[in-house]
């Protein structure tokens, strides 16, 4: 490869590793003053002195990273691969291809997330990263493919079978000290039976407790923590005995499960999850106590304080009291997309059991969930991965204008949100979701309601309030209500917002 292309490749990676949102062009202009020679040590010195933030990147780390990048020069590369105009034309050709499958556009933000994640991990000198089940299964597949293809440092990935349920029990304190905040603040209204299921009590144990109580444990209670039924339960000796056995065993088994990955070798535990508050990271941090955990999330979304906020990085977007990223205005608009299309081929992790000196996750494999995955989600993931490989082949050398490509990627998600096909809306109406923590029930996205003429008029009168809300898929609500004019107004309003913030 020519010296000029060596310069281009280094500049593209320097822009990713150290200058974040700046395009490679800006970095390339800075590099014009660099004196290139056959000596890599000379490059090290010049780059380090002129462009690197010495407060966050030591000379040793910088040398290791640039050496790793330099080692990739042995790959067979042509001038075309580093030709910005040609790379952009190839990308746009693929970009303009008509979708062959429903929800194909979802792969664009997932590509952007994976690329950003890769470079954030490199910045933090990560050698190994742990993806959380279940959304992490497909995220890991995308990440591994990118690591394989990118001409940069190789990072090993692991898959952890974890969930809020499987990590929650091991964090609990003795009954006289525990307030159950991480459960009851988000889900204040539930039955005693549901509360016990969240503590991993089985059907027989729940039945035995119910027989000793004078009320119906299946009845939902408003603000369960302040109820007399809850106070009676917490004073029951048989409940307290089982509660202590379960919480102590859960903590022990979970630690044994983690130790199988030799996490003691990690100075920092780098973890990846979809989001939105980092509850599982909070639970693991309580159990591991002194271990440093750095979380990487597709997005952070919360309207109060986020626990350990400084140890949680929103890789694609953020929509919190602390900060709203530019992309937050777009990607916060339909978070269920990510939860649905990042589903896995197995159920949620309930707890862990020991068999022949090895710890295995116990999974809640709901038949309906697995059927939906095989019928609808797996085909979408297979189609997305096929598209992902094509994008990766075009953009794997990272030599393009980051800002321009990101806006194009954002537009794909915008169109999926506010101008989907009829087939996509109809298919999404068939989806359902099982909430495996808290309420523990199924929910379907389609609401079966027929709106009369006057109800529609009433909704149009209050339409301004509706379109300002961005927590659900607004288009689908309008589609199901046959509010066709509303879909047009929604599209135009949201487009103006995205243009205003220079998102698309």
């Amino acid at each position: 490869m020519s010296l000029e292309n060596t310069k281009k490749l280094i500049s593209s990676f320097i822009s990713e590793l150290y200058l974040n949102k700046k395009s490679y062009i800006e970095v390339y202009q800075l590099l014009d003053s660099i004196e290139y020679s056959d000596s890599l040590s000379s490059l090290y010195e010049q780059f380090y002195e002129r462009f690197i933030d010495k407060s966050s990147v030591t000379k040793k780390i910088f040398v290791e990273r640039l050496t790793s990048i330099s080692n990739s020069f042995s790959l067979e590369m042509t001038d075309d691969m580093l030709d910005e105009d040609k790379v952009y034309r190839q990308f746009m050709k693929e970009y303009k291809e008509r979708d062959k499958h429903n929800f194909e556009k979802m792969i664009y933000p997932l590509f952007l997330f994976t690329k950003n994640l890769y470079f954030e991990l490199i910045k933090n000198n990560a050698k190994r990263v742990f993806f959380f089940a279940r959304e992490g299964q497909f995220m890991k597949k995308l990440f591994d493919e990118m690591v394989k293809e990118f001409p940069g440092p190789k990072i090993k990935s692991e898959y952890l079978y974890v969930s809020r349920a499987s990590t929650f029990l091991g964090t609990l304190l003795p009954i006289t000290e525990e307030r159950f905040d991480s459960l009851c603040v988000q889900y204040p209204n539930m039955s005693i039976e549901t509360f016990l299921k969240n503590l991993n009590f089985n059907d027989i144990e729940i039945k035995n407790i119910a027989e000793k109580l004078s009320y119906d444990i299946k009845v939902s209670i408003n603000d369960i923590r302040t109820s007399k039924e809850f106070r009676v339960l917490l004073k029951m000796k048989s409940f307290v005995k089982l509660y202590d056995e379960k919480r102590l065993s859960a903590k022990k088994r979970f630690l044994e499960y983690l130790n199988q990955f030799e996490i003691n070798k990690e100075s920092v535990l780098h973890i990846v999850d979809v989001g939105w508050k980092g509850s599982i990271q909070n639970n693991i941090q309580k159990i591991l106590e002194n271990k440093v955990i750095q979380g990487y999330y597709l997005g952070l979304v919360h309207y109060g304080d986020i626990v350990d906020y400084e140890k949680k990085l929103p890789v694609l977007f953020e929509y919190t009291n602390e900060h709203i990223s530019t992309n937050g205005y777009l990607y916060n608009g339909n978070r269920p997309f990510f939860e649905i299309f990042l589903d896995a081929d197995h159920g949620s992790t309930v707890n862990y059991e020991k068999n022949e000196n090895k710890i295995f996750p116990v999974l809640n494999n709901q038949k309906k969930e697995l059927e939906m995955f095989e019928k609808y989600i797996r085909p979408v993931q297979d189609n997305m991965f096929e598209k992902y490989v094509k994008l990766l082949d075009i953009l794997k050398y990272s030599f393009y204008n980051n800002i321009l490509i990101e806006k194009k990627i954002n537009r794909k998600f915008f169109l999926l949100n506010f101008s989907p096909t009829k087939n996509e809306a109809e298919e999404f109406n068939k989806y359902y979701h099982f909430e495996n923590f808290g309420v523990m029930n199924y929910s379907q996205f389609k609401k079966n309601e027929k709106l009369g003429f006057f109800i529609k008029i009433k909704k149009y009168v209050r339409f301004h309030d509706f379109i300002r809300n961005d927590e659900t898929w607004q288009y689908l609500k309008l589609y199901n209500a046959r509010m066709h004019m509303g879909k047009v107004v929604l599209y135009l309003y949201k487009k103006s917002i995205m243009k205003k913030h220079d998102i698309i």
Side-chain angles (χ1 to χ4, degrees):
M1 185 168 60
S2 68
L3 184 63
E4 184 68 11
N5 279 345
T6 300
K7 177 179 177 181
K8 288 181 178 180
L9 184 61
I10 291 177
S11 70
S12 69
F13 270 89
I14 292 297
S15 70
E16 292 282 9
L17 291 174
Y18 302 109
L19 298 180
N20 295 325
K21 295 292 184 180
K22 290 189 178 181
S23 72
Y24 90 90
I25 295 174
E26 294 172 86
V27 182
Y28 192 53
Q29 290 171 344
L30 292 173
L31 300 183
D32 282 342
S33 61
I34 289 291
E35 294 181 9
Y36 284 79
S37 68
D38 293 333
S39 170
L40 279 177
S41 61
S42 172
L43 286 176
Y44 296 151
E45 293 295 337
Q46 294 181 75
F47 276 117
Y48 185 74
E49 289 299 322
R50 301 190 187 201
F51 308 121
I52 305 307
D53 178 3
K54 303 175 185 63
S55 64
S56 62
V57 181
T58 66
K59 176 71 175 293
K60 180 175 180 294
I61 291 174
F62 173 72
V63 169
E64 287 176 352
R65 291 174 183 170
L66 192 55
T67 300
S68 181
I69 293 168
S70 301
N71 289 339
S72 70
F73 294 166
S74 60
L75 295 171
E76 292 186 9
M77 295 170 59
T78 66
D79 289 349
D80 287 345
M81 294 177 181
L82 297 177
D83 184 325
E84 183 217 358
D85 292 334
K86 183 159 187 175
V87 169
Y88 185 72
R89 287 196 301 271
Q90 289 175 331
F91 170 77
M92 289 306 298
K93 181 180 178 181
E94 185 65 34
Y95 183 87
K96 292 177 180 179
E97 283 284 327
R98 187 172 183 177
D99 290 356
K100 299 176 182 177
H101 310 284
N102 288 344
F103 305 109
E104 191 175 289
K105 294 181 179 69
M106 272 299 298
I107 199 56
Y108 283 89
L110 291 176
F111 176 89
L112 181 59
F113 162 75
T114 309
K115 181 183 77 76
N116 291 348
L117 171 65
Y118 174 70
F119 287 108
E120 290 295 343
L121 288 167
I122 292 174
K123 286 182 189 178
N124 290 333
N125 204 31
K127 300 295 187 293
R128 189 163 62 146
V129 60
F130 296 81
F131 287 81
F132 284 177
R134 289 183 295 174
E135 289 86 349
Q137 187 181 72
F138 191 60
M139 294 161 79
K140 180 181 184 300
K141 181 178 181 179
L142 298 178
F143 179 81
D144 288 345
E145 187 69 16
M146 183 167 286
V147 169
K148 184 180 77 173
E149 295 296 326
F150 261 37
K154 304 304 178 185
I155 301 173
K156 180 178 175 56
S157 70
E158 306 277 8
Y159 187 62
L160 282 183
Y161 283 90
V162 292
S163 69
R164 284 184 294 170
S166 73
T167 57
F168 165 67
L169 194 53
T171 69
L172 299 181
L173 301 171
I175 202 69
T176 55
E177 303 173 40
E178 182 59 53
R179 288 185 46 79
F180 301 102
D181 284 346
S182 55
L183 172 63
C184 295
V185 169
Q186 186 174 358
Y187 305 99
N189 306 326
M190 71 176 77
S191 67
I192 294 296
E193 180 183 58
T194 301
F195 174 77
L196 292 173
K197 286 182 177 179
N198 278 286
L199 299 185
N200 200 31
F201 278 61
N202 61 40
D203 291 341
I204 295 174
E205 291 165 341
I206 292 174
K207 181 180 178 182
N208 291 337
I209 287 176
E211 290 174 350
K212 298 175 184 178
L213 295 171
S214 60
Y215 53 81
D216 187 350
I217 68 169
K218 295 181 180 295
V219 175
S220 182
I221 302 170
N222 293 330
D223 196 5
I224 186 172
R225 285 195 300 181
T226 63
S227 69
K228 63 180 181 179
E229 292 90 345
F230 191 66
R231 290 195 297 271
V232 170
L233 176 70
L234 299 191
K235 291 178 181 179
M236 184 185 294
K237 290 182 179 180
S238 57
F239 163 75
V240 174
K241 182 175 182 297
L242 271 174
Y243 167 80
D244 280 331
E245 290 175 359
K246 288 178 178 293
R247 69 180 183 85
L248 294 173
S249 175
K251 183 174 182 178
K252 179 183 177 183
R253 288 282 182 262
F254 182 62
L255 285 171
E256 289 174 334
Y257 174 67
L258 287 183
N259 287 336
Q260 291 178 162
F261 294 89
E262 299 181 313
I263 63 166
N264 58 309
K265 294 182 179 180
E266 311 286 333
S267 57
V268 178
L269 194 64
H270 298 275
I271 60 99
V272 180
D273 199 6
V274 64
W276 308 110
K277 295 182 292 185
S279 301
I280 300 176
Q281 181 178 341
N282 298 344
N283 291 344
I284 296 177
Q285 187 69 76
K286 288 180 182 178
I287 294 173
L288 295 181
E289 296 180 351
N290 296 323
K291 172 67 72 175
V292 178
I293 303 176
Q294 175 60 57
Y296 304 82
Y297 295 92
L298 193 145
L300 288 181
V301 181
H302 194 44
Y303 304 106
D305 294 332
I306 290 183
V307 178
D308 291 336
Y309 174 76
E310 68 283 356
K311 287 297 180 181
K312 296 174 180 176
L313 180 69
V315 177
L316 183 64
F317 75 95
E318 182 173 7
Y319 204 96
T320 68
N321 278 354
E322 289 90 349
H323 183 62
I324 298 178
S325 65
T326 301
N327 280 351
Y329 292 103
L330 172 62
Y331 290 109
N332 186 47
N334 196 357
R335 300 196 304 275
F337 270 171
F338 295 106
E339 295 172 346
I340 289 292
F341 296 118
L342 289 173
D343 203 357
D345 61 4
H346 62 82
S348 177
T349 309
V350 179
N351 53 31
Y352 309 88
E353 62 181 24
K354 198 168 190 176
N355 187 0
E356 296 182 354
N357 294 321
K358 188 170 182 180
I359 305 298
F360 295 91
V362 178
L363 305 177
N364 181 13
N365 287 319
Q366 293 278 328
K367 183 180 178 181
K368 283 180 64 177
E369 271 196 307
L370 298 183
E371 286 177 349
M372 192 188 87
F373 178 82
E374 292 299 332
K375 185 175 181 179
Y376 296 112
I377 307 306
R378 187 190 291 279
V380 172
Q381 289 185 354
D382 290 344
N383 295 332
M384 286 197 296
F385 189 75
E386 183 180 341
K387 185 80 168 180
Y388 177 81
V389 171
K390 293 179 181 178
L391 292 173
L392 189 55
D393 187 56
I394 296 169
L395 301 175
K396 63 186 176 183
Y397 293 112
S398 224
F399 194 66
Y400 50 82
N401 186 317
N402 296 320
I403 298 173
L404 182 60
I405 296 294
E406 182 170 324
K407 288 176 69 173
K408 292 293 184 183
I409 286 173
N410 289 345
R411 179 167 173 77
K412 284 289 188 180
F413 190 75
F414 172 82
L415 291 174
L416 181 58
N417 260 277
F418 304 108
S419 184
T421 66
K422 179 181 179 180
N423 285 341
E424 286 170 334
E426 289 294 340
E427 181 173 317
F428 204 83
N429 272 329
K430 300 173 185 177
Y431 295 170
Y432 42 83
H433 175 68
F434 181 74
E435 183 61 55
N436 52 59
F437 185 74
V439 292
M440 293 190 175
N441 59 18
Y442 279 98
S443 60
Q444 191 165 4
F445 294 100
K446 182 177 182 178
K447 305 300 181 183
N448 294 316
E449 58 175 348
K450 293 184 178 180
L451 302 182
F453 176 77
F454 291 106
I455 295 178
K456 286 186 180 181
I457 293 298
K458 188 175 181 180
K459 285 185 174 292
Y460 275 123
V461 170
R462 298 177 179 176
F463 198 69
H464 185 260
D465 292 333
F466 172 80
I467 61 176
R468 293 183 65 187
N469 170 32
D470 57 0
E471 294 181 7
T472 58
W473 194 9
Q474 297 159 307
Y475 178 92
L476 191 67
K477 287 186 174 182
L478 297 172
Y479 175 87
N480 289 333
R482 293 182 172 83
M483 297 175 67
H484 305 299
M485 182 58 69
K487 291 187 294 184
V488 175
V489 174
L490 176 69
Y491 175 87
L492 295 175
Y493 173 80
K494 291 296 184 179
K495 184 177 181 180
S496 68
I497 295 295
M498 303 309 158
K499 290 287 187 181
K500 175 183 177 182
H501 291 285
D502 202 27
I503 298 170
I504 61 175

